[in-house]
Amino acid sequence: MPKRRLPVTRPIMHGLILVSVVTGPVAVASDPTVTDARVEDAVQRAVAWIKSKATGEFWEQHDKGHQHYGGDTALALLALLYAGEDPRGDEIGRALGWLNSQTLKSTYAFGTRAHALALLPDRMHRSRLEADVTWLVSAMGRQGEGAGAYDYLAAEDGTLRRWDNSNSQFGVLGVWMAAEAGVAVPDSYWDLVGRYWLRSQNADGGWGYMEREDSTGSMTAAGVASLFVVLDQRFTRDPREGAEVQAAVDTGLRWLGRSFDPEQAGNEWHFYYLYGIERAGRASGYKSFAGKEWFRASAAWLLRQQRPGGSWEGTGGDMTEFRNTAFALMVLCHGRAPLTFNKLEHGAGWNAQPRDVAGLTRYFSRSFERLMNWQIVKLDSTLDELLEAPVLYLYGTGRTEYTPVEAQKIREYCLRGGLVFAVSGDASGTFRRSIEELARQAFPELTLRPVSAEHPLLSGVVQFPLEGDYPLLEVANGVRTLLLLLDRDLAQTWSRAVPRGAQLRDFELAANVFLYATDKVFSRSRLQTPNIALENTAPTRTIAMARIAYDGPWDPEPYGWTRLRAHLHNRVRTNLLVTSGIRFDSEVLSNFSIAHITGTGPFTLSDEERRGLRHFLNSGGTLLADAAGATPGFVEALESELRAATRSEPRALRSTDYIVTGAGIPDAVDLSTVAFRRNARRMARGQTFPPLLTFGTRRRLQVIYSPLDLSAGLLGTQVYDLVGYEPEATLRIMQNLLLYAALPTAEKATLARED
C-alpha cells in the first residue's frame, strides 16, 4: 500500500460514586485450548516439516509422467505462502522457478499452481499465471451435461465425458484467485460455473462427489464456496439478480450446519473436508455452523492430532501425510487470520449488500499483502466476539431501532476499545437518523459532531488523503473516536472488491478507518484479543482504590480497569477493588489510601477540593495519575494543583529508583526496558524506562504520575497515534505503581533508605 500519512472530544461523565466496572466478571475464551501461541507453534512446526520433505527444489509424490506431476509442489508452495513464507526468499524463489518451468497436465496441478501464483506480489510470474488461467478456462466443459465442470484432464472440444466436484472446485479456485489478482476472465465463464453448481446441488441442499451421488461434507463445502465466488464475480452490482445463487448457498450452509463435525474419524478425506469448511466459513462470514465455531472446533482437533515432528498422518489413498499436512496448515493459517470488520446482523436492510465486507476484506488482503478475514456478528454475541475485530460495521436501508440493552452493548464495545462504523444505504436519511438516536442512547454525555476536512481520516494523516464528499460524523471521548457515521452508501462499491477509477477513494476511506482503528499495527491472529480471562487462583492481597471525579473529562476510558484487574489477579494474585466518581472534597475519600486521577484536558479544583487533596496526601494517601492520551493540558493543570497542595516541585524518577527496578516491592517487576507505542518513541528520545514524575519526599512518594498515557493503554487495543506504552508495558507500570502505593508507610520509608 502506498505510504501516505485523531482529534478528540469530551469524555464520559459519571454520577457521584459508582462501583467500578472492574468488579464485574471477566469472560473466559470459548475454547481455552485454542490459543494463538499453540496455533503459532503448530504452524511453525508444520512449515519446518514441509520444508524438510523437499527433494531439491520440489515436493513431488508422483513420477514425472504422472498426470498430477507438479501438483504437490504447487500445494506445498501454496501452504507455505499462506503461512507467511517470503516469496522473494531464495528457498521459495527456487521452488517457484522450478514449478513454473514444468509442463502440467491436470486440473489439480493447474488450479493449485494458479492459486499459488495469484498470491505473489508485484506481478511475479505473471505470464505463467495468465497462461494457466487460459488453460483452465479452456479445460472446463463448455457444452453438454458437463458444462461448467472439470475432469482430471482438459475437455476435448469443450465436451467432458466425466467430471466431478473435486476437480471442479480446484479449477474454479485457481481461476478465481487469478481474477482477484487482476487477470481478465470472461463473464461467460462464471455463468457456466454458476449454472453447473446450481444444477448439481442435491435436494437435501448438499453436493456429492459426482452429480446425483449422496451429499458429503467436503463436496458441500466446495459447492458453497464455489457459488460464493460466482456471487462475487457476477452479482455484486445488483444482489437481487443473484437470488437463485444466494438461495442455493443458504441451503448449502444449512446442510453444513446440520452435519458439521470436525471430530469425525476414519474418513480418508477429513483434512480435505476441513479445508473446504474453512473456505465456506470464511466466504460466508459466519463464525459458527449450527452453533459450532468451525475454526476453533477444527483447530482444536488439528492441534490434538499433530505429530511431534509437525506433520499430520496420512488417511489412506491419495491423502498422504504430505497432503494432509499441507491442508491442515492452510486451515490453521486461514482461520486465524486477523479480522477486518465485524458486520452486524441487525436492523432494516443490514444485508442489502451481502458481499460488501467480503469485498473490502479481499481488497485489504491485496493492498496490505496479508491474509485477512471478516465475520458476521449479532448483538447477542459476547463482547469477546465483538472485540475480535477492531471495527463493528453497521449498514442499513431503513429505520433501525436499538433496545437499551443493545445500545449498552454497543457502548461497552466502544469503551473497551472498538470502533463502530455506520454506513447509510438509505437516501431518505431514515437510517442516518436511527444511528443518530443510537449515538444519543449509547453516549448521552458525548456529542455526535461533523468530521472536518482536516480530520486525519480525510486529510491523509492516517494513510490516504481523500478529496470528495464524505459526510462523516463522529463521537469521540477525548482520546479516540468511538463511532463514525457516513451518510453515503459505499457498500455496493465495496462489494466489487476491485476498485475502478474514482471508486478507489471509497476503498481508501475504509482502509483509513481500519488503519485508524488499529494504529497501523496488524495483529497476526484473530485469536489475539485484548481480553484477559480470570484464572482460577485465590487472591492473597486486596488493593482498594478511589477514582477521582472533578468538573471536567475525568473518566475517558473506564474499561481499562477491568483488564488491569484480571492482570493483577492472574500475575500477582491481587484483588483490585475500584470505586469510581469520588471527589477530593468527599468524606468517602477518607476510606481510601490510594486514589487515581486522569483526564484529557485542563481542569481546575475548587477550594474545597484543594483542601481535600491536601488532607488526603498529608494523611498518608498516595495519588496516582496519568494524562489520558498524553494531553499536555491535563499535565499542566495537575502539576499546578499539586505544586499548591505539596509546596514542592516534581521530580523525575531515575532508572535506578525502586519504582522502576521493582527492587524491594513484593511482586513488582523490572521496568528498566518497556515497549513504547509508535507515536511515543519520539518523546522517549531513546529512554528505555517509563518517564514517571513524583511529588513528595524520598521517604514517601505522595504522587506518582505519567505524562504519557496509561488509561487508554490499559484497554489493550491499538489507539491511533496514542502517546503511551504497548499494552503489556502499561499493565506492568500500573502493577508497580499500585503495589508501591499499597505498602505501609514504614515499608515505603525503608525502601527510601535502602535506595
Side-chain angles (χ1 to χ4, degrees), residues 67-68 71 104-115 132 135-136 139-141 149-155 160 162 164-175 189:
Q67 65 182 4
H68 296 317
L104 306 184
K105 299 178 181 179
S106 74
T107 298
Y108 281 120
F110 271 103
T112 308
R113 182 168 71 179
H115 189 167
D132 283 356
W135 187 94
L136 287 165
M140 183 181 70
Y150 283 88
D151 190 9
Y152 290 103
L153 302 178
L160 292 175
R162 73 165 301 280
D164 63 75
N165 287 334
S166 182
N167 273 296
S168 297
Q169 172 182 216
F170 271 78
V172 171
L173 186 56
V175 176
Y189 174 85

Side-chain angles (χ1 to χ4, degrees), residues 352-372:
Q353 295 293 336
R355 307 305 291 162
D356 48 2
V357 184
L360 266 184
T361 300
R362 286 148 53 207
Y363 166 76
F364 287 166
S365 292
R366 290 194 306 273
S367 300
F368 302 146
E369 293 186 3
R370 64 186 65 226
L371 188 63
M372 306 190 83

